Amino acid sequence: MADAKWGMVIDVDKCTGCQACVVACQSENNVPINTEDIFNQRRAIEWIRVERYWEGEFPDVKARFIPVLCQHCDDAPCEPVCPVFATYHNNEGMNVQIYNRCIGTRFCANNCPYHVRYFNFWEPEWPDTLTHQLNPDVTVRSRGIMEKCTFCVQRIRRTSREADRDGREIEDGARELSPACVNSCPTSALVWGDFNNKNSKVSNLAEKEMSHNGSHHGRGYKMMENLGTSPNVIYLKKIDKHAKETVAHE
Amino acid sequence: MQEHVQLTQKQINEDLLTSVLGTPRWWWPALGFFVLVFLIGMSAFGYMLNQGVGVTGLNRPVFWGAFMVNFVFFIGISHAGIMISAILRLTQAEWRRPITRAAEVLTVFSLMSALMAAPLVHVGRPWRADLWVFPYDFARGVWINIRSPFVWDPSAVMTYLTASTLFVLIALIPDLAIIRDRSTGLKRKLYAGMALGFRGTPRQWKLQTIAGILLSALVLPVFVSVHSIVSWDFAVQIGPEAWHSTIFAPYFIIGAIHSGVSAVATLMVVMVWAWGWNKYITPDHLDAIARLLIIVATAWFFFFFLEWVFALYTLEPAEMAMRKLQVFESPWSWLFVVFLFTAYFIPVPMWLFRGVRRSLFWMFVTTILVNVGMWLERFLIIVPGLMRRSEFIFDWGSYHPSIIELAMVAMTFAWVGMGMLVFTKVFPLIPLFDIKEGMVGRDEIRIGRRIVPASIRE
């Protein structure tokens, strides 16, 4: 598993904005409950969030959804600015956060162009009825530290450990391996896997949809590519006959 | 340009030791006020430790706010010390003599305030911040990340703090010896210890002078390094708009000198008002520092203008959106107007008038205005930059500091006031020996028909 390069392909065309991924992520990763009060304070924690944009003028209004999570950039801007190495790149292509080291300078969160790093402004609390619902495989983060999407690293670790023990191979796209958001997506808009495995679904999608040698045929793009962060998340753009091509940065 | 007031050594001793040997009536109430504000701030800090950073106004995406503004502001104020005591000493500006120590002490206490603002109250888990500021735990493999500007910061600030403290201590030795000779009992023993056996022998004077000059020269790199490094906290980031700019380092340095020298001018006026040292800090001194300020302020304004030119030249949508926010959207728009007028357009034209430069009251008002403006300048760089007017309109943010946060901001100001007041009670704020040296070296030379004050140098 050491030479895996985990990544995701998000088909924006398939996303219905149902927020199942958000809820799945919250319960899998012990993310504190975002109450109305927390939202109004603008301190909600959502490791994956579905952003909703309105397009067009009334009555021709269309809702557009885009799920945004940590892009696990190869050249992550959050990593060099942390004074205590609380965030670093592991050898599986993931950007990981070490909660014990974090002292909460919030430097990484400022430097993330995707705004996917979340700070624990308060001590997280769950109602009594939900305390037994917490995932024992995931640390409950205390106040004063940063947290972010881990690609459900606990699932990767458990699955590879069990596979090693039983002497079997892990198949691409196995439910036990995939992050909670991917498993919960009803339209399979999220696809997750190993970019180093040439036969994986994500590799095939990347091969098909991303540009090669300057020619661009597919729908694939990486978010804010102009910043040079080399994300490991590929977005496939929406299919819309009436949409006009706009170029933001050239 | 400086008029001659010849004072005897006895009179200098009497005048300048008033703050140490006697206690003015206002001293205790003033100290009490600062201590009260400091304690209120500390209670606020305790409340924040107990509850979490949520008690501030910070949110996502505005993760940095008033604390970071304060950090940059106090490092800016601290540039006073190096400007006055190193640059003016090496350029042999005579008018620096009465204010060198005040400037250095201001530096020491404002650096402490800066450290209080940034690592201490700023971070989420202050009880672990020592691992970063004083990295010591290598045995368990807890290394610091030297690529992070937040690691460069403590090393720059600590270097500066060490150098400034040494400056203050070395310049204090002859004066401590004078106090030692005028006190009795335990006090005498304490001062004797601090004076390191100074008896005024030629060899001791020589060593003391050499140490001062050496320190001035050695500390010069700090003049450019400290605020450059502070600016890199922002300039290395690609996340927020308008921060990723190469002009930030020189722009921050010149801004720091602008606010630092202004703070020294404020301090000079306060010293005259508080202890009546008008024979030592004369209108000539204010005139000289105001002339210096006109140059510094204008140089700063030039960099400010260039920063805007560079920003607008890119025509990047996110950058333009942020600039529009700064200038056209309330409340940032009126803060911007207040900043421009207080930091430049009111004080500098006023300093062009001789009457203003030589007036205690007007110098006090204008230099206070400069520092109000410079605090706002940092606020207007940090907060609108973090409001993220980027393509992610879902994440546009805003920020206003909470009362708890403002109490901690006030605490850092109170710390400087408290420190300065206590310092003046223990040590003389105007260096006695430096003034005496100036008196001895005074001369007059004839240039054409005019007789001009001058000083003799070796």
Side-chain angles (χ1 to χ4, degrees):
Chain A
M1 273 300 164
D3 44 8
K5 187 173 188 291
W6 303 112
M8 194 180 277
V9 177
I10 298 177
D11 192 340
V12 176
D13 192 49
K14 286 185 184 167
C15 178
T16 61
C18 72
Q19 310 256 3
C21 51
V22 179
V23 176
C25 174
Q26 298 249 317
S27 54
E28 168 73 27
N29 291 303
N30 299 341
V31 176
I33 292 170
N34 297 316
T35 58
E36 190 184 342
D37 184 35
I38 297 281
F39 262 107
N40 288 335
Q41 293 174 17
R42 303 190 59 89
R43 290 168 181 160
I45 300 180
E46 301 165 291
W47 287 9
I48 181 169
R49 62 176 194 265
V50 179
E51 299 207 345
R52 182 213 58 222
Y53 295 97
W54 298 111
E55 199 178 274
E57 295 292 323
F58 182 82
D60 265 337
V61 188
K62 286 172 184 159
R64 301 289 196 218
F65 302 103
I66 182 162
V68 183
L69 70 163
C70 175
Q71 309 284 308
H72 293 271
C73 313
D74 284 344
D75 295 316
C78 53
E79 286 165 12
V81 297
C82 176
V84 290
F85 275 124
T87 178
Y88 78 106
H89 226 67
N90 74 2
N91 55 3
E92 293 176 34
M94 287 193 293
N95 172 270
V96 286
Q97 179 80 14
I98 309 172
Y99 306 126
N100 282 341
R101 279 198 171 189
C102 180
I103 54 174
T105 66
R106 309 188 286 284
F107 207 155
C108 55
N110 275 351
N111 206 15
C112 175
Y114 309 100
H115 319 162
V116 291
R117 293 185 147 264
Y118 298 87
F119 186 68
N120 283 279
F121 285 95
W122 305 107
E123 190 74 36
E125 275 173 16
W126 282 269
D128 279 348
T129 46
L130 288 181
T131 47
H132 293 294
Q133 174 268 352
L134 292 178
N135 186 349
D137 290 342
V138 179
T139 317
V140 170
R141 282 79 55 188
S142 63
R143 72 187 146 84
I145 60 174
M146 299 301 305
E147 59 181 64
K148 61 173 259 308
C149 163
T150 60
F151 269 167
C152 287
V153 67
Q154 70 279 7
R155 297 170 73 90
I156 303 173
R157 291 285 170 271
R158 187 181 52 218
T159 308
S160 48
R161 195 170 58 233
E162 284 172 6
D164 276 354
R165 185 190 61 198
D166 304 343
R168 62 184 161 89
E169 287 289 305
I170 306 168
E171 21 173 332
D172 174 53
R175 265 190 86 80
E176 51 176 352
L177 186 71
S178 300
C181 53
V182 174
N183 286 344
S184 68
C185 184
T187 58
S188 304
L190 310 177
V191 181
W192 185 84
D194 180 4
F195 277 122
N196 278 353
N197 176 357
K198 290 293 156 229
N199 301 318
S200 68
K201 262 193 252 172
V202 284
S203 294
N204 290 336
L205 279 168
E207 179 66 28
K208 191 176 140 217
E209 303 282 8
M210 291 300 280
S211 61
H212 300 287
N213 305 325
S215 64
H216 198 288
H217 300 295
R219 300 187 285 134
Y221 68 94
K222 287 179 179 176
M223 204 185 272
M224 296 189 191
E225 251 182 315
N226 59 315
L227 293 175
T229 53
S230 336
N232 273 320
V233 175
I234 293 173
Y235 285 87
L236 305 182
K237 67 183 173 190
K238 193 153 183 76
I239 301 166
D240 188 344
K241 285 187 288 203
H242 307 293
K244 276 175 277 176
E245 190 76 23
T246 51
V247 180
H249 296 282
E250 267 308 315
Chain B
M1 91 192 166
Q2 286 181 29
E3 52 192 275
H4 260 206
V5 187
Q6 200 62 40
L7 300 160
T8 60
Q9 302 219 346
K10 184 166 185 276
Q11 202 178 354
I12 293 174
N13 287 350
E14 274 171 12
D15 286 348
L16 297 184
L17 291 177
T18 44
S19 69
V20 181
L21 299 177
T23 312
R25 234 181 319 151
W26 52 264
W27 193 84
W28 281 109
L31 184 71
F33 170 75
F34 285 127
V35 170
L36 184 71
V37 175
F38 183 77
L39 288 181
I40 291 174
M42 270 303 187
S43 321
F45 177 48
Y47 180 64
M48 189 175 80
L49 278 183
N50 186 260
Q51 298 290 312
V53 185
V55 298
T56 65
L58 299 168
N59 57 51
R60 195 179 72 88
V62 188
F63 284 107
W64 288 358
F67 297 151
M68 212 59 198
V69 176
N70 246 15
F71 174 72
V72 182
F73 177 78
F74 276 113
I75 304 259
I77 293 284
S78 76
H79 267 58
I82 195 152
M83 180 72 196
I84 304 287
S85 57
I87 305 274
L88 293 187
R89 181 175 191 144
L90 293 176
T91 54
Q92 302 190 320
E94 271 301 303
W95 60 270
R96 72 162 202 280
R97 289 192 189 277
I99 49 173
T100 43
R101 183 169 302 153
E104 276 300 338
V105 175
L106 181 66
T107 298
V108 170
F109 286 108
S110 53
L111 281 175
M112 289 179 187
S113 267
L115 286 176
M116 210 185 283
L120 187 68
V121 301
H122 169 79
V123 298
R125 300 204 291 179
W127 53 93
R128 294 182 67 96
D130 56 341
L131 288 180
W132 145 44
V133 179
F134 305 103
Y136 60 87
D137 202 357
F138 299 142
R140 287 192 296 165
V142 182
W143 289 92
I144 46 165
N145 181 4
I146 52 161
R147 294 176 303 169
S148 168
F150 266 11
V151 168
W152 314 339
D153 267 343
S155 52
V157 174
M158 292 295 180
T159 309
Y160 194 13
L161 191 56
T162 313
S164 300
T165 315
L166 279 178
F167 245 126
V168 173
L169 290 179
I170 283 175
L172 265 176
I173 292 173
D175 293 356
L176 289 171
I178 293 176
I179 306 176
R180 174 195 62 198
D181 298 342
R182 276 161 186 69
S183 50
T184 49
L186 179 67
K187 216 169 145 189
R188 186 188 163 87
K189 272 190 186 145
L190 284 175
Y191 281 108
M194 285 189 287
L196 303 175
F198 191 85
R199 293 185 317 281
T201 63
R203 186 182 130 81
Q204 285 176 332
W205 276 114
K206 193 178 148 198
L207 285 177
Q208 200 263 352
T209 311
I210 290 175
I213 290 173
L214 257 184
L215 264 178
S216 313
L218 288 175
V219 85
L220 274 182
V222 173
F223 185 61
V224 282
S225 73
V226 174
H227 228 63
S228 298
I229 287 173
V230 169
S231 81
W232 292 333
D233 286 348
F234 307 99
V236 301
Q237 297 198 44
I238 60 162
E241 290 80 38
W243 286 7
H244 199 55
S245 174
T246 46
I247 201 172
F248 258 43
Y251 172 48
F252 270 49
I253 291 171
I254 195 83
I257 296 165
H258 184 29
S259 67
V261 175
S262 295
V264 171
T266 314
L267 195 60
M268 284 160 73
V269 177
V270 172
M271 277 155 73
V272 174
W273 281 346
W275 289 282
W277 286 327
N278 52 7
K279 269 176 271 172
Y280 302 90
I281 298 170
T282 61
D284 286 329
H285 291 97
L286 285 173
D287 192 282
I289 205 165
R291 282 161 194 255
L292 176 68
L293 271 172
I294 294 175
I295 306 291
V296 171
T298 307
W300 164 79
F301 193 76
F302 175 63
F303 274 96
F304 166 76
F305 171 73
L306 278 188
E307 203 246 345
W308 270 81
V309 172
F310 291 177
L312 298 184
Y313 191 74
T314 61
L315 290 178
E316 266 187 53
E319 174 98 37
M320 300 305 282
M322 184 275 193
R323 297 287 163 175
K324 224 154 91 188
L325 169 80
Q326 262 186 343
V327 182
F328 296 116
E329 272 177 53
S330 173
W332 318 105
S333 53
W334 60 262
L335 283 179
F336 194 79
V337 171
V338 171
F339 145 63
L340 269 188
F341 275 88
T342 51
Y344 193 81
F345 287 116
I346 295 174
V348 175
M350 282 181 75
W351 291 331
L352 294 178
F353 296 99
R354 193 179 144 87
V356 173
R357 289 200 304 264
R358 304 180 73 86
S359 146
L360 288 175
F361 175 75
W362 285 114
M363 279 308 285
F364 181 77
V365 172
T366 47
T367 50
I368 287 281
L369 280 184
V370 167
N371 273 317
V372 170
M374 291 310 285
W375 199 89
L376 282 177
E377 185 222 16
R378 280 70 178 246
F379 191 78
L380 283 168
I381 289 175
I382 294 175
V383 176
L386 282 177
M387 282 166 67
R388 310 289 188 125
R389 292 299 159 101
S390 66
E391 293 91 329
F392 282 121
I393 56 175
F394 217 71
D395 287 343
W396 288 10
S398 189
Y399 163 80
H400 54 88
S402 72
I403 300 283
I404 302 286
E405 209 170 352
L406 291 177
M408 279 180 270
V409 168
M411 169 180 85
T412 50
F413 283 88
W415 171 260
V416 176
M418 213 165 84
M420 297 290 293
L421 273 185
V422 172
F423 187 89
T424 56
K425 191 74 203 75
V426 185
F427 306 109
L429 198 55
I430 295 184
L432 279 73
F433 81 92
D434 216 354
I435 297 283
K436 288 173 190 164
E437 190 183 81
M439 293 288 171
V440 171
R442 275 206 180 149
D443 196 11
E444 282 172 342
I445 51 167
R446 181 184 282 277
I447 298 178
R449 282 184 207 156
R450 294 196 64 185
I451 300 212
V452 182
S455 62
I456 303 166
R457 298 215 177 85
E458 62 274 11

